[in-house]
Amino acid sequence: MALDNESFEILLATIQRFIRERLVPAENHVEDHDEVPEEIVAEMKELGLFGLSIPEEYGGIGLSMSQEGRVAFELGRTALAFRSVFGTNVGIGSQGILMDGTEAQKHEILPRVASGELIMSFALTEPDAGSDAASLKTRAELDGDHYVLNGTKRYITNAPRAGAFTLMARTGGPGASGVSAFIVPADTPGLRLGKPDKKMGQRGTKTCDVILEDVRVPAANIIGGVPGQGFKTAMKVLDRGRLHISAVACGTAQRIIEESVNYARERKQFGKAIGEFQLIQAMLADSQAELLAGWSLVQDVTRRFDLKPVHESDPEVSMRASCAKLFCTEMVGRVADRGVQIHGGAGYINEYKVERFYRDVRLLRLYEGTTQIQQIIIGREMLRSA
Ligand code: COS
């Protein structure tokens, strides 16, 4: 699956202009009001951003992973809250259905996801199951042709906006093989949301708990119709998501470098622009070299990802996706730290953009698998395949 090159380049140019002319000027609004303006959300729908990764036969734009990576890079160049509005529709919220869903599920759900009419959110994490996702406790008990769900999901991105969840619950015994992935409409009786989480950064993004008390969901809502496959679905979704996040990290690094270069050219100390000092140049150079290394890695792994069928998992590609997530999210952390350092005291002040990006990118090393989880996936695969 891919968009033809010519159409893709036109789309990319349109998205770049949208970011430059609409999103960057709205960054202060998002920071001050902790929300993305509704008119911008409407424009995102018109541009097709909610359906970037959904095939054309289901109403989306049908980008390949390498094309999606290039779009994600651009989206990383502005406040990350903008991407988050449609990020779960493009990625973790919808891809499980695309990879493992039945044809009926795909036809029913994906066109509404692609148009932005339906916001999908991904509910895996729980109060006692974060990195150890296979230990999740949310129960799904069979009762006739329905399952009854009880449990709590935590830090669920876009839950306050969601019309439905891809939600992992335990239909069987302990461990990964007892987990199933359900499509759970947000308006099902017994499902309620916790209070909004107050976060370190990424103002304008919405996360909260999802609490399930005797939530009845048709058995037909199990993704793919077969219980016990949900953990694998979640892992495949995360492999893809990790590549998307890696590309976002590179885009944000690019923006921080631009902000830092501009500041270094304007700010004068000791009688000249600070950019003329080699100690400042050294910080810029390290950031530039690390960004180019990370972005080359992302482009390589997304290309490899595109060579396999969308629903299949290849341990070698998963390992490389984890390498990209590990390297790029740690890289942007260092770039953001140097960005603040180059700005001096101004880098600690909220009106300068690097202060916000410094806080925003901290999350990238945590969600969709911490750096330490990526290390485990990489190390295990190295030993397994040797
Ligand atoms: N694709 C497909 N299947 C996968 C897979 C992948 N990338 N990774 C694992 N699996 C399969 C395994 O092959 C195994 O199947 P079999 O039992 O048939 O052999 C099953 O899933 C269980 O895998 P494993 O034994 O590796 O599970 P673990 O409990 O050891 O957990 C980690 C593996 C730690 C990698 C996993 O729990 C993880 O990624 N944790 C982080 C969760 C996360 O990212 N959370 C973020 C929340 S969403 S923002």
Side-chain angles (χ1 to χ4, degrees):
M1 176 177 84
L3 193 60
D4 67 273
N5 274 341
E6 196 185 332
S7 307
F8 177 71
E9 293 304 332
I10 293 169
L11 174 74
L12 191 67
T14 308
I15 292 173
Q16 284 167 332
R17 193 169 63 241
F18 178 64
I19 292 169
R20 206 171 47 241
E21 293 176 4
R22 296 292 291 136
L23 302 190
V24 172
E27 285 172 353
N28 286 342
H29 177 96
V30 169
E31 181 68 17
D32 294 343
H33 300 278
D34 194 16
E35 55 153 43
V36 175
E38 274 311 311
E39 64 268 20
I40 286 186
V41 176
E43 288 171 50
M44 289 169 168
K45 288 182 185 172
E46 261 170 50
L47 275 173
L49 296 181
F50 286 81
L52 288 173
S53 61
I54 293 175
E56 285 175 90
E57 60 180 308
Y58 305 113
I61 292 182
L63 298 188
S64 65
M65 194 63 225
S66 13
Q67 292 173 333
E68 185 185 320
R70 288 181 63 194
V71 172
F73 181 99
E74 298 301 328
L75 294 164
R77 297 174 72 165
T78 183
L80 295 184
F82 293 119
R83 187 205 64 90
S84 184
V85 172
F86 53 87
T88 51
N89 274 33
V90 169
I92 55 179
S94 72
Q95 290 296 311
I97 298 171
L98 185 65
M99 289 170 176
D100 290 340
T102 61
E103 267 314 307
Q105 288 168 342
K106 291 183 204 177
H107 276 106
E108 191 198 326
I109 304 276
L110 295 179
R112 292 162 62 215
V113 172
S115 69
E117 173 200 334
L118 178 67
I119 305 289
M120 289 289 299
S121 179
F122 180 79
L124 175 66
T125 300
E126 299 183 355
D128 297 324
S131 291
D132 186 7
S135 72
L136 64 83
K137 289 184 186 148
T138 294
R139 290 286 329 168
E141 306 280 357
L142 191 59
D143 178 23
D145 57 0
H146 279 67
Y147 279 92
V148 181
L149 275 59
N150 280 286
T152 299
K153 295 292 176 180
R154 181 137 293 173
Y155 311 140
I156 303 306
T157 301
N158 274 342
R161 299 180 171 118
F165 298 89
T166 293
L167 187 143
M168 271 50 69
R170 188 165 300 286
T171 48
S177 62
V179 175
S180 300
F182 287 86
I183 302 166
V184 183
D187 60 0
T188 314
L191 187 154
R192 65 188 168 84
L193 303 178
K195 59 179 184 348
D197 297 322
K198 289 185 187 168
K199 302 183 291 299
M200 176 193 285
Q202 300 214 3
R203 286 183 54 84
T205 59
K206 303 293 168 192
T207 68
C208 68
D209 280 4
V210 176
I211 301 144
L212 305 131
E213 284 167 351
D214 293 332
V215 172
R216 291 179 68 82
V217 177
N221 283 25
I222 289 188
I223 292 179
V226 186
Q229 299 300 310
F231 186 78
K232 286 183 190 173
T233 299
M235 289 300 115
K236 288 192 284 184
V237 164
L238 285 171
D239 281 344
R240 218 183 154 285
R242 287 164 185 164
L243 274 175
H244 181 105
I245 298 292
S246 309
V248 169
C250 292
T252 310
Q254 173 74 45
R255 171 71 185 273
I256 295 168
I257 291 171
E258 285 164 11
E259 294 284 338
S260 303
V261 168
N262 289 341
Y263 190 80
R265 284 161 59 96
E266 281 163 18
R267 171 75 176 163
K268 291 199 171 55
Q269 287 295 282
F270 305 103
K272 51 185 173 181
I274 61 169
E276 289 183 36
F277 292 106
Q278 289 181 337
L279 292 180
I280 297 287
Q281 290 172 10
M283 285 193 275
L284 291 172
D286 284 350
S287 292
Q288 181 68 24
E290 290 186 34
L291 163 60
L292 292 182
W295 182 231
S296 300
L297 175 60
V298 174
Q299 288 178 292
D300 177 71
V301 187
T302 52
R303 262 195 303 272
R304 289 171 193 265
F305 191 94
D306 284 331
L307 295 176
K308 64 174 190 57
V310 62
H311 57 280
E312 274 176 27
S313 141
D314 175 344
E316 172 73 21
V317 175
S318 303
M319 184 274 280
R320 286 173 189 253
S322 287
C323 288
K325 167 81 162 60
L326 162 72
F327 184 82
C328 295
T329 62
E330 292 287 334
M331 175 275 290
V332 74
R334 293 189 294 272
V335 169
D337 190 71
R338 292 185 200 111
V340 170
Q341 198 67 20
I342 291 165
H343 279 69
Y348 202 66
I349 302 296
N350 180 258
E351 79 188 63
Y352 290 87
K353 300 292 172 77
V354 290
E355 186 268 352
R356 302 174 197 175
F357 285 119
Y358 180 84
R359 287 182 287 111
D360 283 2
V361 299
R362 191 63 186 85
L363 182 59
L364 304 186
R365 285 190 260 166
L366 305 172
Y367 69 175
E368 301 200 18
T370 60
T371 289
Q372 289 66 34
I373 287 295
Q374 310 313 325
Q375 288 172 321
I376 286 167
I377 294 170
I378 298 161
R380 276 211 240 179
E381 177 56 19
M382 289 168 72
L383 293 163
R384 190 197 66 83
S385 63

